[in-house]
Amino acid sequence: MSDGFTGSIGEHLVRAREAHKISRAHIASQLFLSERIVKALEGDDYDTLPAPIFVCGYLRSYARIVEIEAEPLIAAYNQRGDSPPSVVSHDANPEVRKQHIDVDRGWMINVARYVAIGVAVSVVLYLLWAFVPTLFSGAGDDEQGEEVAAGMEFDGGGLPAFESMPVAAPFETPAAPDAPPINVGKGDKPKFDKPAAAPTVVDPVEVVVEEAPIIEVAAPAAEAAVVPDVPKKSPISGPHSTLRLKFSHESWVEVHDATGRRVLVDLMREGGDKTLYGQAPFKLLLGYSSGVVIEYNGALYDPENYKRKGVARFSIGKPEDNKER
Amino acid sequence: MIFFKQLRGMFSNDLSIDLGTANTLIYVRDQGIVLNEPSVVAIRQDRGPGGPKQISAVGMEAKQMIGRTPGNIVAIRPLKDGVIADFTVTEKMLQHFIHKVHENRFLRPSPRVLVCVPCGSTQVERRAIKESAAGAGARDVFLIEEPMAAAIGAGMPVAEASGSMVLDIGGGTTEVAVLSLNGIVYSSSVRIGGDRFDEAIVNYVRRNYGTLIGESTAERIKHEIGSAFPGNDVREIEVKGRNLSEGIPRSFSLNSNEILEALQEPLAGIVGAVKTALEQTPPDLGADIAERGMVLTGGGALLSGLDQLLMEETGLPVVVAEEPLTCVARGGGRALEMIDKFGGDVFASE
């Protein structure tokens, strides 16, 4: 039946007991068991015996008294068809067992997990793209930002991307009579009323231009062809001033024009250069004013008097400023 | 926040932790015992007594440092007598172990955890264990009394309407309980365990040989020649210790009969606890126990001849569970698997 002995477990026990010339009663008294249980053990009558853990224990103690190996008996008992499996695994090394299980669990579960993680990450990225657009609009990277702005196409889904542009239009937006009206409210986020017709490419109302004054720079010819009805003219229709900011150090910048519109809100990198047009006076907030050179209508402006721990808040282009100059 | 915890929980396994004084075992649902390490943490403190503390090693690595550390490192056992003695260090140790069993995951694990507690632990001690597991990242923490977990892990028929007696001898405590119908009828806990055996050996050697040996040497002696009952074969071991009168390390040999003599006091405490439990057991359950016997679990059950000693002292059959060291963790794991099926009947309240 098993290694180490022949016949049944009970027969092996009886043979060993008889070889030692020990009576069943003696075994029972040594094990503090009733003779009935010892008889059941010797008769392989496991139905009348208690739970397997007890039977294994009895076999071990019995084997010790008759001086035989207990393990083959227990192994044979555990291999019985009607016996429940051993409560313990016989894989001694937990690390090895863990590896076995990892392999056995199958690749399907892992694939499902990674797909779920992928979906979750995609959702998070989409939400970030939709609601925290400055992360993706290349804030601080002026050239890249302008390229993105120039090529932008508003078809409903592009609205958040438009919001991502660092500057709102300080000018009257040029619009053809049949072009979709663009309502730029007083708030920070312009709203677009758009007909349900085919998506129309609108000139991004980009006023931030780098060393090039006007909006045509931001409107490629290809897009002009898409919107033939939009006349190209200077969007600057009222009295305006030019404000140029050169950055020798990274600095946070907020610029509002006379109408209260936000002209520029951005973290500017070292070496950046911005030229802004709008109605004076401009309200400025410079996070690190020492690293910014300001030119107002071609003249240098020093915000020294307004510095507080490096941060400067001031207005530029007020009538009295003009008088001073 | 709860959402993220649940999300992380989807990628974590349910764990059953036997947070023992000597060893911590972790059973992972559907996987078995995946961690069995000593409950030891080595803490490094540089730049003097007020300097920052940092965990230097945990588990087996830290255990090897016990008694062999320089001044700036201290190897400590954060649990004493089955309960938390150092809350912060226990939390860090649990955190380390939980991460270790989830090492392939890139999300921080947030498993459901079942922790086994001594039945004699107080409400404050149980709360400390619960908080510690929660602090280590557990999503839900359940507690189960050690004898119940040990009985389930050993495969005893705890759900039947018959008495089952279990004696779980751990590192810090010995738990004895009588169980029936998934409940504990009687339980008691004595603060005697493997550690007390080690101490007894250290004291014996100092008293009889005038030599000081360390904890780890005493533990090695216990494992190799420790005995609770006089046997036919006498085993010997060669040990080295510092001679107290000469102050120099000396080598000498000990035999198993000497260790048997050394262990008499803690063994008497355990036998006393068992006898008290039998006295307190309702007679019908006592009859069931007398018929089938009691089951020994825990590391102490591996002490040679302990079952024979208990048989002689109580006149009852005594059975040593298979793999007694892991019974509690396995039983906890099985209880964790039963949560969904049967609810939390077997769990201990805080």
Side-chain angles (χ1 to χ4, degrees):
Chain A
M1 187 171 177
S2 177
D3 295 339
F5 66 94
T6 54
S8 71
I9 298 169
E11 286 166 5
H12 187 58
L13 290 175
V14 171
R15 272 200 304 274
R17 177 169 63 78
E18 286 172 351
H20 281 79
K21 298 190 173 104
I22 302 171
S23 69
R24 186 182 291 155
H26 179 75
I27 295 281
S29 69
Q30 289 279 301
L31 296 179
F32 297 92
L33 288 170
S34 68
E35 236 181 292
R36 181 184 62 79
I37 291 181
V38 179
K39 195 177 175 184
L41 276 176
E42 292 183 349
D44 296 316
D45 183 10
Y46 300 111
D47 294 337
T48 58
L49 290 171
I53 176 178
F54 292 105
V55 177
C56 290
Y58 301 158
L59 288 174
R60 203 172 276 127
S61 302
Y62 196 129
R64 187 173 59 212
I65 292 170
V66 296
E67 294 173 352
I68 56 173
E69 282 286 318
E71 291 313 315
L73 296 173
I74 291 165
Y77 175 71
N78 286 331
Q79 281 169 11
R80 284 164 58 247
D82 57 343
S83 151
S86 174
V87 293
V88 296
S89 160
H90 294 284
D91 196 343
N93 187 346
E95 286 298 321
V96 173
R97 187 188 317 175
K98 192 172 176 229
Q99 284 170 8
H100 284 315
I101 291 156
D102 283 348
V103 172
D104 292 343
R105 289 186 80 186
W107 55 274
M108 290 287 283
I109 297 169
N110 287 332
V111 168
R113 281 179 176 163
Y114 288 120
V115 166
I117 291 168
V119 169
V121 169
S122 308
V123 168
V124 170
L125 282 175
Y126 173 76
L127 291 174
L128 280 174
W129 176 77
F131 295 107
V132 195
T134 48
L135 286 178
F136 297 89
S137 64
D141 188 350
D142 304 334
E143 287 182 11
Q144 193 185 348
E146 286 194 7
E147 279 169 21
V148 170
M152 216 171 278
E153 191 172 319
F154 297 112
D155 58 354
L159 181 58
F162 182 80
E163 288 175 10
S164 75
M165 284 193 298
V167 181
F171 318 110
E172 284 183 11
T173 308
D178 56 345
I182 298 171
N183 300 324
V184 180
K186 287 185 180 177
D188 292 340
K189 293 177 181 176
K191 292 177 182 172
F192 293 86
D193 295 326
K194 204 167 108 12
T200 310
V201 175
V202 179
D203 274 346
V205 191
E206 176 61 84
V207 293
V208 178
V209 286
E210 198 163 298
E211 295 171 2
I214 275 310
I215 206 154
E216 281 80 2
V217 174
E223 290 184 11
V226 178
V227 192
D229 294 335
V230 180
K232 295 291 174 189
K233 67 173 186 177
S234 170
I236 304 165
S237 58
H240 65 275
S241 306
T242 308
L243 181 66
R244 188 175 182 192
L245 305 172
K246 290 185 197 168
F247 296 86
S248 58
H249 192 278
E250 189 179 71
S251 173
W252 176 254
V253 188
E254 286 183 30
V255 182
H256 293 80
D257 72 358
T259 62
R261 282 181 191 154
R262 196 169 58 176
V263 182
L264 172 63
V265 176
D266 205 352
L267 178 69
M268 298 302 298
R269 305 280 177 204
E270 183 182 344
D273 191 342
K274 287 276 185 191
T275 306
L276 309 170
Y277 299 93
Q279 288 181 12
F282 294 101
K283 272 183 164 176
L284 280 86
L285 165 65
L286 302 175
Y288 186 76
S289 58
S290 306
V292 186
V293 177
I294 306 163
E295 280 182 28
Y296 177 64
N297 287 336
L300 283 174
Y301 184 86
D302 184 9
E304 187 60 38
N305 296 336
Y306 305 102
K307 280 186 189 171
R308 295 281 184 277
K309 294 181 181 173
V311 179
R313 295 168 192 272
F314 57 96
S315 293
I316 190 168
K318 284 187 279 192
E320 54 269 31
D321 290 340
N322 294 335
K323 278 176 199 169
E324 282 171 17
R325 283 167 204 283
Chain B
M1 200 60 201
I2 293 169
F3 169 75
F4 279 113
K5 230 175 181 183
Q6 286 179 344
L7 182 73
R8 283 190 276 124
M10 286 169 65
F11 301 98
S12 308
N13 296 312
D14 289 348
L15 308 178
S16 155
I17 302 179
D18 174 12
L19 189 59
T21 313
N23 293 294
T24 295
L25 285 91
I26 297 186
Y27 175 98
V28 177
R29 189 173 173 167
D30 304 328
Q31 293 187 24
I33 303 282
V34 294
L35 184 135
N36 181 359
E37 296 225 24
S39 306
V40 185
V41 179
I43 297 169
R44 173 189 288 274
Q45 187 172 30
D46 293 324
R47 285 181 271 159
K53 288 182 178 175
Q54 59 185 35
I55 305 285
S56 178
V58 180
M60 188 60 75
E61 198 186 340
K63 192 184 179 187
Q64 287 166 353
M65 297 182 182
I66 287 185
R68 297 183 170 93
T69 52
N72 61 336
I73 297 177
V74 57
I76 61 166
R77 298 171 65 170
L79 288 112
K80 193 167 168 54
D81 297 335
V83 295
I84 292 177
D86 190 324
F87 184 84
T88 318
V89 177
T90 306
E91 192 176 307
K92 292 283 176 202
M93 184 181 77
L94 271 178
Q95 208 168 19
H96 174 87
F97 288 149
I98 289 175
H99 275 262
K100 196 167 180 181
V101 299
H102 286 95
E103 59 191 358
N104 295 326
R105 311 289 161 82
F106 61 88
L107 280 175
R108 195 160 61 90
S110 180
R112 285 197 304 182
V113 169
L114 182 135
V115 188
C116 308
V117 291
C119 55
S121 56
T122 63
Q123 198 180 5
V124 175
E125 289 162 346
R126 288 177 188 210
R127 171 57 75 93
I129 287 176
K130 206 167 180 175
E131 296 279 326
S132 183
R139 182 165 90 252
D140 290 317
V141 184
F142 303 96
L143 300 179
I144 188 170
E145 281 165 332
E146 275 174 12
M148 175 59 85
I152 295 172
M156 294 172 78
V158 290
E160 287 178 10
S162 64
S164 303
M165 189 171 190
V166 63
L167 180 68
D168 178 45
I169 306 170
T173 58
T174 292
E175 319 270 329
V176 55
V178 177
L179 313 158
S180 178
L181 292 169
N182 278 337
I184 293 179
V185 179
Y186 170 86
S187 71
S188 78
S189 177
V190 286
R191 301 206 164 184
I192 298 170
D195 290 352
R196 284 286 296 277
F197 294 162
D198 296 346
E199 273 175 40
I201 292 170
V202 171
N203 291 338
Y204 178 87
V205 170
R206 190 173 57 212
R207 205 167 47 240
N208 291 280
Y209 287 85
T211 304
L212 200 60
I213 57 169
E215 269 179 52
S216 47
T217 307
E219 194 179 6
R220 187 168 61 87
I221 294 167
K222 179 181 72 180
H223 287 162
E224 293 188 16
I225 62 163
S227 172
F229 195 74
N232 294 332
D233 58 330
V234 177
R235 288 161 293 158
E236 283 205 354
I237 188 174
E238 187 85 7
V239 290
K240 293 180 181 65
R242 176 160 56 87
N243 191 295
L244 287 168
S245 58
E246 298 173 26
I248 302 167
R250 288 274 180 241
S251 177
F252 57 98
S253 65
L254 286 167
N255 66 43
S256 53
N257 284 339
E258 287 174 303
I259 301 307
L260 172 65
E261 191 186 333
L263 296 179
Q264 281 310 302
E265 191 193 330
L267 287 173
I270 291 172
V271 170
V274 173
K275 284 183 173 171
T276 309
L278 289 168
E279 279 171 23
Q280 302 287 328
T281 305
D284 286 340
L285 297 179
D288 295 334
I289 294 164
E291 172 81 14
R292 296 188 305 204
M294 73 179 88
V295 174
L296 296 187
T297 66
L302 294 170
L303 185 67
S304 163
L306 185 60
D307 53 338
Q308 287 168 279
L309 174 73
L310 287 166
M311 276 200 275
E312 289 293 328
E313 291 286 337
T314 62
L316 299 178
V318 178
V319 164
V320 179
E322 282 187 73
E323 293 197 21
L325 264 171
T326 61
C327 276
V328 172
R330 279 188 286 119
R334 201 169 287 179
L336 203 55
E337 285 163 12
M338 292 194 299
I339 290 177
D340 303 328
K341 289 183 194 166
F342 307 111
D345 277 0
V346 295
F347 301 121
S349 57
E350 197 177 283

